[in-house]
C-alpha cells in the first residue's frame, strides 16, 4: 500500500461494492488533493516522455485537451510516465487491468496515482470528478456517451486544465474532439531463440493522427527497450538484422 500523508493513492481503489458512496470518496479526494496540488499550471504543455513528445501536436500533451489511444497498455504507460515523473497526479478510471507493478517499473509515481477500476454506470461522472483535481486522467468508456455529455466534459477539462486520455475498447466509435489519435502497429518482440530464451524488448510503430488532418506522424519506438525503458529506435537499430523475435499486431 502506498500512502501520501493521510491519503491513499494507488491503493485508493474504488469498487462498486464499497460501503462508502463513490461520490463521497471522490469529494474527499478532491478536497485533499487541492491542498497539495494546484489545478492550474503555468504552462499549457504537460511534460511528456521525449520518445513520444515529438509525435504530438505542439510537442507534448496539452492541458485541457483530449487524446484517443488504441487499447495498448504499454503505450498508455509511456504517456503517463512523463507527467508522473514531473510530479503530476494521474487518475485511471474504468481500467481494472491496469498493472501497478508495471507502472512502477516504468517510472510512474504510485504515490500520485489514483485508480477507480469499477466506476459502474457513473463512469462519465466519475471521470469528470477525477479530472477536477488530477492533471492527467485516463478513462476507458464502456459505451458511447451523448454528444451533450461529451461537450460538458470537454468544457470542464478546459476550465480545469486537465488532460484526458481515452483508451479505446474496440466497440465504441471514435471519441470526438480529440487533439490527436495514437495507434500502434508492426509490433515485434526480441529475445526468443530457437526454442529458448524469453521476451526482453519490443519495437513498435506509433502513428499519431490529428483532428486537423494532415499527414500522420510515425516513429519506430522501443516499448520497452532491453533496459525496460521507452526510447526511439535509431536508424542503425531499425535497419540491423534483428534477433529472433515474435511478431504481433
Amino acid at each position: 500500500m502506498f500512502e501520501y500523508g493521510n491519503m491513499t493513492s494507488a491503493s485508493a481503489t474504488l469498487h462498486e461494492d464499497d460501503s462508502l458512496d463513490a461520490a463521497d470518496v471522490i469529494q474527499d479526494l478532491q478536497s485533499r488533493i487541492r491542498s497539495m496540488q494546484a489545478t492550474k499550471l503555468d504552462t499549457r504543455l504537460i511534460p511528456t516522455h521525449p520518445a513520444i513528445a515529438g509525435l504530438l501536436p505542439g510537442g507534448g500533451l496539452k492541458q485541457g485537451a483530449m487524446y484517443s489511444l488504441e487499447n495498448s497498455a504499454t503505450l498508455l504507460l509511456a504517456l503517463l510516465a512523463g507527467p508522473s515523473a514531473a510530479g503530476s497526479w494521474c487518475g485511471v478510471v474504468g481500467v481494472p487491468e491496469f498493472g501497478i507493478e508495471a507502472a512502477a517499473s516504468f517510472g510512474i509515481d504510485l504515490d500520485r496515482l489514483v485508480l477507480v477500476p469499477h466506476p459502474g454506470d457513473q463512469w462519465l461522472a466519475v471521470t469528470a470528478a477525477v479530472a477536477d483535481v488530477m492533471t492527467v486522467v485516463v478513462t476507458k468508456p464502456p459505451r458511447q456517451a451523448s454528444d451533450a455529455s461529451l461537450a460538458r466534459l470537454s468544457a470542464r477539462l478546459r476550465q480545469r486544465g486537465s488532460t484526458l486520455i481515452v483508451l479505446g475498447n474496440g466497440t465504441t466509435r471514435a471519441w470526438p474532439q480529440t487533439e490527436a489519435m495514437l495507434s500502434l502497429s508492426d509490433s515485434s518482440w526480441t529475445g526468443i531463440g530457437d526454442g529458448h530464451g524469453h521476451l526482453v524488448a519490443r519495437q513498435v510503430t506509433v502513428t499519431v493522427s490529428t483532428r486537423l488532418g494532415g499527414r500522420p506522424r510515425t516513429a519506430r519506438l522501443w516499448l520497452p527497450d532491453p533496459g525496460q525503458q521507452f526510447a526511439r529506435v535509431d536508424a542503425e537499430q531499425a535497419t540491423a538484422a534483428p534477433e529472433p523475435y515474435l511478431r504481433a499486431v
Side-chain angles (χ1 to χ4, degrees):
M1 180 177 292
F2 297 84
E3 296 185 354
Y4 186 89
N6 294 324
M7 174 183 173
T8 303
S9 52
S11 55
T13 303
L14 308 182
H15 299 276
E16 292 176 289
D17 56 351
D18 282 348
S19 58
L20 290 176
D21 183 84
D24 293 334
V25 178
I26 290 295
Q27 186 175 8
D28 184 53
L29 285 172
Q30 290 174 342
S31 62
R32 296 186 187 190
I33 293 175
R34 283 195 185 103
S35 67
M36 291 182 279
Q37 174 182 286
T39 57
K40 294 291 185 181
L41 302 179
D42 294 333
T43 178
R44 296 300 297 173
L45 281 183
I46 297 172
T48 309
H49 195 286
I52 298 176
L55 292 173
L56 297 173
L61 294 170
K62 295 180 180 180
Q63 290 180 270
M66 298 184 291
Y67 297 84
S68 293
L69 173 64
E70 279 190 352
N71 194 7
S72 170
T74 309
L75 186 53
L76 173 60
L77 294 177
L79 285 171
L80 293 179
S84 180
S88 295
W89 281 82
C90 300
V92 182
V93 178
V95 190
E97 66 273 20
F98 186 87
I100 291 180
E101 291 185 4
S105 70
F106 291 130
I108 294 173
D109 186 354
L110 300 186
D111 286 340
R112 294 181 179 271
L113 175 68
V114 172
L115 307 179
V116 190
H118 300 288
D121 292 337
Q122 300 301 314
W123 66 272
L124 190 59
V126 172
T127 298
V130 173
D132 277 349
V133 290
M134 302 284 170
T135 304
V136 182
V137 180
V138 177
T139 190
K140 187 175 182 179
R143 59 184 178 276
Q144 190 63 44
S146 69
D147 290 341
S149 296
L150 296 181
R152 287 193 295 270
L153 176 60
S154 179
R156 198 163 183 170
L157 292 170
R158 291 192 298 270
Q159 180 185 27
R160 295 295 188 181
S162 301
T163 300
L164 180 67
I165 299 174
V166 182
L167 194 60
N169 59 16
T171 61
T172 58
R173 64 181 173 89
W175 193 272
Q177 301 179 356
T178 54
E179 183 73 18
M181 295 157 285
L182 293 84
S183 61
L184 183 151
S185 62
D186 195 21
S187 171
S188 61
W189 286 91
T190 65
I192 294 293
D194 186 11
H196 61 85
H198 60 278
L199 300 175
V200 296
R202 181 173 66 152
Q203 290 186 19
V204 302
T205 297
V206 174
T207 301
V208 177
S209 305
T210 70
R211 59 185 175 86
L212 300 177
R215 185 176 182 179
R217 298 179 181 180
T218 64
R220 194 74 175 157
L221 304 182
W222 287 107
L223 288 183
D225 67 10
Q228 297 302 290
Q229 301 295 316
F230 304 124
R232 289 286 185 103
V233 177
D234 60 38
E236 183 178 347
Q237 291 171 322
T239 57
E243 302 175 36
Y245 62 89
L246 290 179
R247 183 172 296 275
V249 177

